[in-house]
């Protein structure tokens, strides 16, 4: 079946540091890939997405590139802010497109 | 209000009791989902529904029941709550258009004592 694996957390960075959160997946066919973010006490909201190989999703300074050859969708940001502190989830849609499968989530804390 | 809302936000119940978590969305999205969020497990799919009167099991359905008599509502019932069902529950919805995002409610924190 489909699965998503994220790098183990939690991750703690200083403000303006470079962020990478690794995400790899196992899926049949050509899934769509997503990053969701969960701020404290809230539900998940979409951060960015990519629907085919070599697509780059970007939003709020975050980027991720759909790499089919390495089955990866790593999240990056060049300079994190305290307000980026949250839990980040990598996810994929099955090829049939009905179900989202999530990774375990990575807690990010950014200190001033 | 437009969006997806869950109720209650917090619930404490006793082992063995039946409890129902409510989910309501205003977009007429055909797909709706229930997830539970637990430390170390991320989000796991409990049940989902592709349309009114169509439901299907997800990854961890045991101990839960769902119904979907109306497109906008997707209640989740714990028939006889157990401590292992203590969790944060999220409802989500999305349109049937491929690759569109899912929208999540704010969650229900359920504690079974």
């Amino acid at each position: 079946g489909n699965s998503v694996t994220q790098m183990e957390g939690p991750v703690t960075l200083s403000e303006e540091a470079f962020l990478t959160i690794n995400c790899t997946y196992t899926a049949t066919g050509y899934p769509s890939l997503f990053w969701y973010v969960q701020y404290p006490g809230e539900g998940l909201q979409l951060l960015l997405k990519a629907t085919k190989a070599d697509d780059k999703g970007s939003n709020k300074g975050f980027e991720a590139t759909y790499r089919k050859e390495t089955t990866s969708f790593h999240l990056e940001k060049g300079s994190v802010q305290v307000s980026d502190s949250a839990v980040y989830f990598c996810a994929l849609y099955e090829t049939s497109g009905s179900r989202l499968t999530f990774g375990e989530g990575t807690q990010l804390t950014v200190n001033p | 209000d437009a969006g997806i809302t869950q109720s209650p936000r917090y619930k404490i119940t006793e082992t063995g009791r039946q409890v129902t978590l409510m989910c309501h969305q205003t977009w007429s999205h055909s797909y709706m989902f229930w997830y539970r969020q637990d430390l170390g497990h991320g989000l796991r799919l409990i049940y989902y529904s592709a349309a009114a009167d169509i439901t299907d099991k997800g990854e961890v359905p045991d101990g839960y029941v769902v119904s979907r008599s109306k497109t906008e509502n997707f209640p989740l019932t714990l028939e006889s709550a157990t401590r292992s069902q203590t969790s944060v529950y999220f409802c989500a919805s999305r349109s049937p258009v491929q690759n569109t995002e899912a929208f999540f409610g704010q969650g229900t924190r359920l504690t079974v004592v």
Side-chain angles (χ1 to χ4, degrees), chain B residues 21-54:
Chain B
L21 310 183
M22 305 301 293
C23 179
H24 175 79
Q25 52 106 353
T26 61
W27 297 298
S28 298
H29 285 164
S30 58
Y31 283 105
M32 295 189 75
F33 307 85
W34 274 106
Y35 291 88
R36 59 178 290 174
Q37 183 178 23
D38 304 289
L39 198 61
H41 292 281
L43 272 78
R44 292 181 291 176
L45 182 64
I46 304 171
Y47 269 96
Y48 67 105
S49 169
D53 297 322
I54 301 174

Side-chain angles (χ1 to χ4, degrees), chain A residues 31-32 34 36 38 41-46 49 51 87 89 93-105, chain B residues 9 31 33 35 37-38 40-43 45 48 57-59 88 90 94 98-107:
Chain A
S32 298
F34 300 79
Y36 279 83
Q38 182 183 30
E42 298 184 9
L44 281 71
Q45 54 187 275
L46 180 68
K49 70 178 184 182
T51 59
V87 181
F89 290 92
Y93 272 138
E94 297 179 343
T95 302
S96 64
S98 62
R99 297 167 54 160
L100 262 179
T101 299
F102 286 90
E104 303 87 356
Chain B
R9 290 291 312 276
Y31 283 105
F33 307 85
Y35 291 88
Q37 183 178 23
D38 304 289
H41 292 281
L43 272 78
L45 182 64
Y48 67 105
K57 295 179 180 179
E59 190 182 351
V88 180
F90 286 100
R94 73 170 187 89
Q98 197 168 15
N99 301 324
T100 54
E101 69 181 280
F103 294 87
F104 284 78
Q106 289 195 297

Side-chain angles (χ1 to χ4, degrees), chain A residues 35 48 56-59 61-65 73-77:
Chain A
W35 277 101
L48 54 84
K56 177 185 282 188
S58 60
N59 186 26
F62 290 89
E63 293 183 339
T65 301
F73 193 54
H74 305 321
L75 183 67
E76 296 182 335
K77 187 175 186 182

Side-chain angles (χ1 to χ4, degrees), chain B:
Chain B
D1 290 337
I4 181 165
T5 55
Q6 293 182 234
S7 61
R9 290 291 312 276
Y10 303 92
K11 176 74 176 177
I12 300 174
T13 191
E14 294 179 339
T15 301
R17 289 195 180 270
Q18 182 180 84
V19 60
T20 296
L21 310 183
M22 305 301 293
C23 179
H24 175 79
Q25 52 106 353
T26 61
W27 297 298
S28 298
H29 285 164
S30 58
Y31 283 105
M32 295 189 75
F33 307 85
W34 274 106
Y35 291 88
R36 59 178 290 174
Q37 183 178 23
D38 304 289
L39 198 61
H41 292 281
L43 272 78
R44 292 181 291 176
L45 182 64
I46 304 171
Y47 269 96
Y48 67 105
S49 169
D53 297 322
I54 301 174
T55 61
D56 209 346
K57 295 179 180 179
E59 190 182 351
V60 288
D62 293 343
Y64 303 95
V65 174
V66 293
S67 62
R68 185 112 181 260
S69 58
K70 293 185 178 180
T71 299
E72 60 267 29
N73 296 324
F74 191 40
L76 176 74
T77 298
L78 288 66
E79 293 188 299
S80 178
T82 65
R83 289 197 180 89
S84 65
Q85 293 178 308
T86 292
S87 185
V88 180
Y89 291 85
F90 286 100
C91 179
S93 74
R94 73 170 187 89
S95 85
V97 176
Q98 197 168 15
N99 301 324
T100 54
E101 69 181 280
F103 294 87
F104 284 78
Q106 289 195 297
T108 295
R109 182 175 293 277
L110 176 68
T111 302
V112 183
V113 298

